[in-house]
């Protein structure tokens, strides 16, 4: 890991000039030698990305967040003021909050969004090559869907160690890959929800600090002396180590070639399934249905023509075949040799119809908090959503608790509805009494105009309250 001091050294060659930003270079007003010796000026601080050119390379959204913090403003405010005005028209200008919490991960992808944001940031910071902080720097021309997680994840041990060593906290791009589930350094599962509020993290932070939950500002590191979580099994460990080393190979190949082309990969698959019996054999050895291969090769109906498999699907395929993607790309006969050799495939730590993996302790803890009233009352489907699982998975492991959650949520909704109706009826009664006191006949129309919401009178309970109040003042039966 690099230190803050190294960061400062990097910045020496990229001074910035921005009114509110710290300026650590010579100013224009001093008796500084000729202007031509001044380094180029940038609007925003020329913050150096962390660990550029390594497997720990920073993600572009992490860079964006750090840039905001370095300017002493919330990253989202920086985006609103400095980036949004430069974005193309198809960007949802008015939905920055929803974008920051939702689809902003595409800033790290390898589509047009990533290109646009990186080039704007390059212009604003005078830092070139920021696009390598996105998937453009890693996976070449593989299309952009399904490679990244929807929400950021992190390693709590990394955060704690960096803080103890006074290293600036950031989010490496490798943590954002869907296929990476463990920290390459600590062999510990990456986290994707806050241990305190259970919520996922915003991609672009609002008012919180680095390494803290973007929803409740709780520190996301871990006490290094606390008991370690259960060890990851060896198969998963081996698979994850292979994934990380393969990603590093892809990143290197991508930086050497400028943009890695996957054309050779799909040509190899095509050649393999065109061999007599090749497709059946490939399906048998890898467990991947033959329709998937047809999808990969665009042989399905037109609506599937733009389908490109996710990096995760491709890496699982390569791992099973015990072949590196670069090997398959470079050697068109590698897959044919694999099926003809009939080599036993590598066993993945998951199956084709893998069951969703569920952290039962974490789920139970949250379910109990809801049932005990320490969390707001939520139904089973809402709990599943908050925990990031399907309702089916929750039902499988916690059938009894799900029944209790549903009952509790129904009871809560019933109670809430009762209070609401009582409030509406009381408002109707007060309106009748007030009109009557003013000598105005409390007709349906007049009472309606007195209410905070005229539609209340459509409720049967409100209508009954109107009749009851009229009876109370001796107008029963008059309409
Ligand atoms: Zn770690
Ligand atoms: Zn939180």
């Amino acid at each position: 890991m690099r230190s803050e001091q190294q960061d400062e050294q990097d910045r020496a060659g990229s001074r910035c000039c921005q009114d509110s930003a710290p300026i650590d270079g010579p100013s224009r007003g001093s008796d500084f030698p000729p202007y031509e010796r001044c380094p180029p000026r940038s609007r925003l601080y020329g913050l150096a990305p962390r660990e550029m050119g390594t497997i720990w390379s920073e993600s572009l959204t992490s860079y964006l967040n750090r840039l905001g913090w370095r300017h002493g403003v919330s990253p989202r405010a920086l985006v609103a003021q400095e980036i949004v005005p430069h974005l193309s028209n198809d960007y949802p200008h008015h939905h920055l909050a929803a974008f920051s919490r939702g689809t902003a991960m595409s800033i790290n992808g390898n589509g047009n969004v990533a290109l646009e944001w990186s080039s704007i940031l390059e212009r604003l910071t005078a830092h070139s090559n920021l696009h390598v902080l996105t998937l453009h720097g890693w996976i070449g021309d593989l299309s952009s869907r399904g490679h990244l997680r929807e929400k950021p994840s992190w390693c709590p041990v990394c955060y704690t160690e960096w803080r103890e060593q006074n290293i600036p906290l950031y989010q490496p791009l490798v943590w954002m890959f869907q296929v990476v589930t463990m920290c390459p350094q600590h062999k510990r599962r990456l986290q994707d929800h806050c241990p305190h509020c259970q919520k996922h993290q915003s991609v672009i932070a609002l008012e919180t600090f680095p390494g803290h939950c973007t929803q409740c500002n709780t520190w996301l590191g871990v006490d290094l002396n606390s008991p370690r979580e259960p060890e990851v099994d060896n198969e998963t460990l081996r698979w994850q180590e292979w994934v990380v080393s393969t990603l590093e190979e892809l990143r290197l190949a991508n930086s050497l070639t400028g943009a890695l082309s996957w054309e050779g990969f799909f040509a190899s698959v095509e050649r393999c399934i065109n061999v007599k019996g090749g497709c059946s054999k490939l399906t048998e050895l890898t467990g991947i249905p033959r329709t998937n291969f047809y999808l990969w090769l665009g042989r399905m109906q037109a609506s599937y023509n733009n389908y490109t498999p996710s990096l995760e699907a491709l890496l699982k395929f390569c791992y099973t075949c015990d072949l590196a993607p670069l090997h398959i790309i470079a050697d068109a006969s590698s897959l044919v040799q694999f099926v003809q050799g009939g080599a036993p495939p590598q066993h993945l730590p998951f199956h084709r119809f893998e069951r969703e993996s569920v952290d039962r302790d974490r789920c139970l803890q949250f379910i109990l908090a809801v049932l005990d009233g320490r969390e707001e009352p939520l139904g089973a489907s809402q709990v599943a959503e908050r925990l990031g699982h399907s309702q089916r998975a929750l039902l499988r492991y916690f059938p009894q608790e799900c029944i209790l959650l549903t009952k509790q949520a129904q009871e809560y909704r019933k109670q809430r509805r009762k209070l609401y109706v009582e409030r509406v009826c009381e408002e109707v009664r007060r309106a009748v009494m007030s009109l009557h006191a003013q000598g105005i006949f409390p007709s349906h129309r007049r009472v309606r105009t007195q209410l905070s919401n005229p539609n209340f009178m459509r409720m049967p309970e409100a209508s009954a309250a109107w009749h009851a109040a009229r009876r109370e003042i001796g107008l029963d039966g008059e309409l």
Side-chain angles (χ1 to χ4, degrees), residues 56 154-159 161-162 175 183-188 190:
W56 286 95
W154 68 95
C155 168
V157 185
C158 279
Y159 273 169
E161 285 187 359
W162 294 344
W175 287 353
C183 170
Q185 171 79 14
H186 299 103
K187 315 295 179 214
R188 186 185 169 117
L190 295 174

Side-chain angles (χ1 to χ4, degrees), residues 153-224:
S153 66
W154 68 95
C155 168
V157 185
C158 279
Y159 273 169
T160 303
E161 285 187 359
W162 294 344
R163 187 159 81 163
E164 285 183 357
Q165 293 162 29
N166 222 10
I167 291 173
L169 304 187
Y170 76 107
Q171 294 165 311
L173 187 59
V174 73
W175 287 353
M176 308 292 185
F177 281 96
Q178 181 83 41
V179 69
V180 176
T181 55
M182 279 172 43
C183 170
Q185 171 79 14
H186 299 103
K187 315 295 179 214
R188 186 185 169 117
R189 282 184 206 287
L190 295 174
Q191 304 290 305
D192 63 0
H193 64 276
C194 166
H196 181 69
C197 69
Q198 304 294 328
K199 290 182 181 165
H200 290 297
Q201 302 299 295
S202 294
V203 182
I204 303 173
L206 183 58
E207 298 285 357
T208 48
F209 302 115
H212 288 69
C213 172
T214 57
Q215 309 307 310
C216 70
N217 216 7
T218 296
W219 167 239
L220 296 176
V222 71
D223 180 357
L224 296 179

